[in-house]
Amino acid sequence: MTDQEPQLAAAAEIRARIDTDKPHSARFWNYFVGGKDHYEVDREIGDHIKEIFPGLADVARTSRQFLGRAVRHLALEQGIRQFLDVGTGLPTADNTHEVAQRVAPDARIVYVDNDPMVLAHARALLTSTPEGRTAYIDADLYKPAAILEAAAQTLDLSRPVALMILNTLGHVADYDEARKLVAHLMSGLPSGSCLVISDSTATSEGMIAASEAYNSSGAVPYHVRSVEEIAGFFEGLDLVEPGVAQVTRWRPDSPGSVVDAYGAVGRKP
């Protein structure tokens, strides 16, 4: 067996896992943020939803901007140097490690996703400053213990970690289960750790209609929730001002518009 054969076999296995017959949230979202990693089936449902609810493109764009502001806040003001990004999605501009290491070159970032398309692009997420480190875990949100165990190979879980779960929890149909998964992950992190969540919300008829159209496309469903349910994920944590807010109004660089997406940052006492 040549040195390249295991890598070729792994690449073939990844390609076999990619379903191009149905839309997928990572590719669909990539299309909305202006990326290039999507298929015709993703563009078709994307264009259909744009007709139903053009505002979803703003949700995608501004949610990405929220990620950048949250990471900068954590690195600059909270002194966080470790990030666990669960539900990474496809690499675009200003990924978590790029924002964090721009502020703190020694930051360590672990990405977690179980989507084969994301895995195929993982190399783009594994660049790092010489002082810091990045890693990628092919793992499932429904197995939080396995995520923490694998993350411990790169992160020091005795020191504060920022747990990032952006535009992902809507895929967990049962709200109570979603809260338990978040709580399990946070239970493995020490005092001073932070939780960052953002998700699309059922705050307009347009967003609800867009969600229903997406869910009827054959893709893995995404459930938009109320603002109160988003706030519930932060129970027991100290919310960073301004608390649970529209992503455009969470410490904006300029006055933000109205969007159907809310987020927050909470600190573990």
Side-chain angles (χ1 to χ4, degrees):
M1 178 178 291
T2 67
D3 292 340
Q4 289 188 329
E5 284 181 354
Q7 296 177 358
L8 293 172
E13 190 274 334
I14 292 171
R15 287 195 297 272
R17 288 169 55 190
I18 297 174
D19 185 353
T20 60
D21 294 327
K22 296 179 181 178
H24 190 279
S25 61
R27 304 190 311 248
F28 170 81
W29 208 244
N30 183 264
Y31 177 55
F32 266 90
V33 299
K36 299 179 180 179
D37 299 308
H38 39 74
Y39 293 100
E40 182 63 29
V41 66
D42 307 300
R43 295 189 290 273
E44 286 178 356
I45 185 63
D47 291 340
H48 176 57
I49 288 177
K50 284 180 182 178
E51 293 177 0
I52 297 173
F53 182 52
L56 190 59
D58 293 330
V59 168
R61 176 180 52 81
T62 58
S63 293
R64 193 70 184 181
Q65 293 168 349
F66 166 78
L67 179 152
R69 296 196 305 276
V71 171
R72 284 195 299 273
H73 165 78
L74 291 166
L76 278 173
E77 300 182 41
Q78 301 283 347
I80 298 290
R81 294 295 181 268
Q82 303 188 110
F83 296 81
L84 179 58
D85 189 332
V86 179
T88 303
L90 287 161
T92 57
D94 286 337
N95 300 293
T96 298
H97 73 283
E98 294 170 322
V99 178
Q101 292 183 341
R102 203 175 293 145
V103 174
D106 60 336
R108 292 188 167 210
I109 297 89
V110 172
Y111 291 104
V112 182
D113 210 303
N114 70 335
D115 177 73
M117 190 89 169
V118 178
L119 180 58
H121 289 78
R123 286 194 186 93
L125 294 168
L126 297 181
T127 59
S128 176
T129 58
E131 305 94 325
R133 187 177 174 188
T134 63
Y136 179 89
I137 301 171
D138 183 12
D140 194 325
L141 174 62
Y142 290 93
K143 298 180 180 179
I147 290 175
L148 291 169
E149 181 180 359
Q153 297 179 26
T154 302
L155 308 178
D156 179 356
L157 299 189
S158 68
R159 298 174 55 221
V161 175
L163 173 62
M164 318 276 298
I165 315 179
L166 278 68
N167 307 301
T168 297
L169 289 168
H171 288 302
V172 182
D174 185 83
Y175 176 62
D176 290 337
E177 183 177 15
R179 287 191 57 168
K180 288 178 182 177
L181 292 170
V182 172
H184 191 150
L185 287 167
M186 286 301 296
S187 71
L189 305 179
S191 174
S193 293
C194 293
L195 173 65
V196 184
I197 288 174
S198 71
D199 261 312
S200 301
T201 49
T203 43
S204 77
E205 293 183 1
M207 176 56 83
I208 294 170
S211 175
E212 290 173 349
Y214 178 79
N215 293 346
S216 65
S217 70
V220 176
Y222 188 96
H223 305 276
V224 290
R225 296 192 162 106
S226 67
V227 178
E228 291 74 20
E229 286 173 318
I230 300 298
F233 290 118
F234 294 90
E235 184 176 353
L237 304 180
D238 297 327
L239 285 171
V240 173
E241 289 293 333
V244 179
Q246 289 179 345
V247 294
T248 50
R249 298 179 178 182
W250 194 92
R251 297 176 175 247
D253 300 322
S254 59
S257 57
V258 175
V259 294
D260 294 299
Y262 278 69
V265 176
R267 187 176 184 277
K268 186 173 181 178

